[in-house]
Amino acid sequence: GAEPSDEEVFQFVLDRWGTLRFSPEVEAERRREPGNPKRRQREAAKAAAKAAPSTKAQQAIAAALPYLESVEIKRRLPDTVVITATPAVETCTVESAAGWAVLSQSYKVLRVDAEAPAGLVRIDGAQADAPAPGQPVKFTEEDKLSVLQTVLSKAQAQGLGPISEVDLTNTLELSFLYQDRIRIVLGTTNDLDYKIKWAWEMVTPGQTSDSLGEEERGTLDVSSRGEDGLGRARWRAGVL
């Protein structure tokens, strides 16, 4: 029969999503076939073109099924369609005019709730602009989204977590809440790698002689440096 179109593949997957059974791909050893080298080259080029991923269909599926972080569709000769789906993980939540948008790790909108869900990173001081499930989130103040992404990615890379709240109200006075017990004040995004590494050393017992204890609560300000270029931490016990 004729090659199915992107729209047909998309509709097929949506209609049968609940009954589809997925299994990991299996690599099989391929026997080398003798023959004319130029002919094999032409056949390989045709096969590669025919097996190219259906970008339009996979984007449509990801949008229609928001709890899939990504969808990859490949066609394999003669009549096989391989669908690789990565589930989305609820990561953070931000307020909007319609409610609280729940976002995935790639900042895709998964759903919109009337109230802020518990257990996610709460984004304060920013607002999502008309969030739609399955679509990338947009902020009413676009620069705040990039600031959020930078702060969370650098904190994750440093192993500074869990983070329960990020305050973007003033991007010159950025802060986040660590383990629900220590508010870490970063100030601006200048020297962010240094500040986050320094904050990690301060909140991780045993890293320095001044490291905080596991039960201490308060605000740790690592936003400034002295004239010697070294950081100056300010600790306010009990104040969040």
Side-chain angles (χ1 to χ4, degrees), residues 53 70 76 131 144 230 232:
S70 63
R76 289 185 176 175
K144 288 189 175 183
L230 298 177
R232 293 287 183 268

mmCIF file with all atom_site columns, all heavy atoms in Angstrom, residues 53 70 76 131 144 230 232:
data_model
loop_
_atom_site.group_PDB
_atom_site.id
_atom_site.type_symbol
_atom_site.label_atom_id
_atom_site.label_alt_id
_atom_site.label_comp_id
_atom_site.label_asym_id
_atom_site.label_entity_id
_atom_site.label_seq_id
_atom_site.pdbx_PDB_ins_code
_atom_site.Cartn_x
_atom_site.Cartn_y
_atom_site.Cartn_z
_atom_site.occupancy
_atom_site.B_iso_or_equiv
_atom_site.pdbx_formal_charge
_atom_site.auth_seq_id
_atom_site.auth_comp_id
_atom_site.auth_asym_id
_atom_site.auth_atom_id
_atom_site.pdbx_PDB_model_num
ATOM 1  N N   . PRO A 1 53  ? 12.536 10.470 10.380 1.00 0.00 ? 53  PRO A N   1
ATOM 2  C CA  . PRO A 1 53  ? 11.497 10.690 11.380 1.00 0.00 ? 53  PRO A CA  1
ATOM 3  C C   . PRO A 1 53  ? 10.436 11.662 10.882 1.00 0.00 ? 53  PRO A C   1
ATOM 4  O O   . PRO A 1 53  ? 10.717 12.604 10.164 1.00 0.00 ? 53  PRO A O   1
ATOM 5  C CB  . PRO A 1 53  ? 12.283 11.281 12.568 1.00 0.00 ? 53  PRO A CB  1
ATOM 6  C CG  . PRO A 1 53  ? 13.546 11.819 11.986 1.00 0.00 ? 53  PRO A CG  1
ATOM 7  C CD  . PRO A 1 53  ? 13.860 10.942 10.813 1.00 0.00 ? 53  PRO A CD  1
ATOM 8  N N   . SER A 1 70  ? 8.832  13.871 25.115 1.00 0.00 ? 70  SER A N   1
ATOM 9  C CA  . SER A 1 70  ? 9.230  13.898 23.712 1.00 0.00 ? 70  SER A CA  1
ATOM 10 C C   . SER A 1 70  ? 8.739  12.641 23.025 1.00 0.00 ? 70  SER A C   1
ATOM 11 O O   . SER A 1 70  ? 8.539  11.605 23.662 1.00 0.00 ? 70  SER A O   1
ATOM 12 C CB  . SER A 1 70  ? 10.749 14.009 23.569 1.00 0.00 ? 70  SER A CB  1
ATOM 13 O OG  . SER A 1 70  ? 11.383 12.868 24.121 1.00 0.00 ? 70  SER A OG  1
ATOM 14 N N   . ARG A 1 76  ? 10.521 2.075  9.530  1.00 0.00 ? 76  ARG A N   1
ATOM 15 C CA  . ARG A 1 76  ? 11.472 1.047  9.128  1.00 0.00 ? 76  ARG A CA  1
ATOM 16 C C   . ARG A 1 76  ? 10.848 0.164  8.050  1.00 0.00 ? 76  ARG A C   1
ATOM 17 O O   . ARG A 1 76  ? 9.700  -0.260 8.195  1.00 0.00 ? 76  ARG A O   1
ATOM 18 C CB  . ARG A 1 76  ? 11.900 0.192  10.321 1.00 0.00 ? 76  ARG A CB  1
ATOM 19 C CG  . ARG A 1 76  ? 12.787 0.929  11.304 1.00 0.00 ? 76  ARG A CG  1
ATOM 20 C CD  . ARG A 1 76  ? 13.268 0.009  12.392 1.00 0.00 ? 76  ARG A CD  1
ATOM 21 N NE  . ARG A 1 76  ? 14.191 0.676  13.290 1.00 0.00 ? 76  ARG A NE  1
ATOM 22 C CZ  . ARG A 1 76  ? 14.694 0.127  14.377 1.00 0.00 ? 76  ARG A CZ  1
ATOM 23 N NH1 . ARG A 1 76  ? 14.352 -1.114 14.700 1.00 0.00 ? 76  ARG A NH1 1
ATOM 24 N NH2 . ARG A 1 76  ? 15.535 0.798  15.151 1.00 0.00 ? 76  ARG A NH2 1
ATOM 25 N N   . PRO A 1 131 ? -0.953 29.749 29.486 1.00 0.00 ? 131 PRO A N   1
ATOM 26 C CA  . PRO A 1 131 ? -0.370 28.407 29.369 1.00 0.00 ? 131 PRO A CA  1
ATOM 27 C C   . PRO A 1 131 ? -1.338 27.408 28.743 1.00 0.00 ? 131 PRO A C   1
ATOM 28 O O   . PRO A 1 131 ? -2.519 27.373 29.089 1.00 0.00 ? 131 PRO A O   1
ATOM 29 C CB  . PRO A 1 131 ? -0.063 28.037 30.816 1.00 0.00 ? 131 PRO A CB  1
ATOM 30 C CG  . PRO A 1 131 ? -1.032 28.834 31.642 1.00 0.00 ? 131 PRO A CG  1
ATOM 31 C CD  . PRO A 1 131 ? -1.201 30.128 30.892 1.00 0.00 ? 131 PRO A CD  1
ATOM 32 N N   . LYS A 1 144 ? 12.524 36.630 32.630 1.00 0.00 ? 144 LYS A N   1
ATOM 33 C CA  . LYS A 1 144 ? 12.475 35.859 33.874 1.00 0.00 ? 144 LYS A CA  1
ATOM 34 C C   . LYS A 1 144 ? 12.516 34.355 33.619 1.00 0.00 ? 144 LYS A C   1
ATOM 35 O O   . LYS A 1 144 ? 13.013 33.600 34.458 1.00 0.00 ? 144 LYS A O   1
ATOM 36 C CB  . LYS A 1 144 ? 11.227 36.229 34.682 1.00 0.00 ? 144 LYS A CB  1
ATOM 37 C CG  . LYS A 1 144 ? 11.317 37.622 35.310 1.00 0.00 ? 144 LYS A CG  1
ATOM 38 C CD  . LYS A 1 144 ? 10.175 37.889 36.273 1.00 0.00 ? 144 LYS A CD  1
ATOM 39 C CE  . LYS A 1 144 ? 10.375 39.229 36.970 1.00 0.00 ? 144 LYS A CE  1
ATOM 40 N NZ  . LYS A 1 144 ? 9.318  39.512 37.976 1.00 0.00 ? 144 LYS A NZ  1
ATOM 41 N N   . LEU A 1 230 ? 36.797 38.054 47.326 1.00 0.00 ? 230 LEU A N   1
ATOM 42 C CA  . LEU A 1 230 ? 36.246 36.864 47.957 1.00 0.00 ? 230 LEU A CA  1
ATOM 43 C C   . LEU A 1 230 ? 34.805 37.121 48.410 1.00 0.00 ? 230 LEU A C   1
ATOM 44 O O   . LEU A 1 230 ? 34.431 38.249 48.731 1.00 0.00 ? 230 LEU A O   1
ATOM 45 C CB  . LEU A 1 230 ? 37.103 36.453 49.158 1.00 0.00 ? 230 LEU A CB  1
ATOM 46 C CG  . LEU A 1 230 ? 38.556 36.076 48.848 1.00 0.00 ? 230 LEU A CG  1
ATOM 47 C CD1 . LEU A 1 230 ? 39.306 35.758 50.130 1.00 0.00 ? 230 LEU A CD1 1
ATOM 48 C CD2 . LEU A 1 230 ? 38.611 34.896 47.885 1.00 0.00 ? 230 LEU A CD2 1
ATOM 49 N N   . ARG A 1 232 ? 31.422 37.227 50.578 1.00 0.00 ? 232 ARG A N   1
ATOM 50 C CA  . ARG A 1 232 ? 31.100 37.586 51.954 1.00 0.00 ? 232 ARG A CA  1
ATOM 51 C C   . ARG A 1 232 ? 29.707 37.044 52.265 1.00 0.00 ? 232 ARG A C   1
ATOM 52 O O   . ARG A 1 232 ? 28.704 37.580 51.814 1.00 0.00 ? 232 ARG A O   1
ATOM 53 C CB  . ARG A 1 232 ? 31.133 39.104 52.141 1.00 0.00 ? 232 ARG A CB  1
ATOM 54 C CG  . ARG A 1 232 ? 32.503 39.724 51.998 1.00 0.00 ? 232 ARG A CG  1
ATOM 55 C CD  . ARG A 1 232 ? 33.387 39.393 53.211 1.00 0.00 ? 232 ARG A CD  1
ATOM 56 N NE  . ARG A 1 232 ? 34.678 40.044 53.113 1.00 0.00 ? 232 ARG A NE  1
ATOM 57 C CZ  . ARG A 1 232 ? 35.753 39.489 52.556 1.00 0.00 ? 232 ARG A CZ  1
ATOM 58 N NH1 . ARG A 1 232 ? 35.665 38.274 52.021 1.00 0.00 ? 232 ARG A NH1 1
ATOM 59 N NH2 . ARG A 1 232 ? 36.892 40.125 52.513 1.00 0.00 ? 232 ARG A NH2 1
#
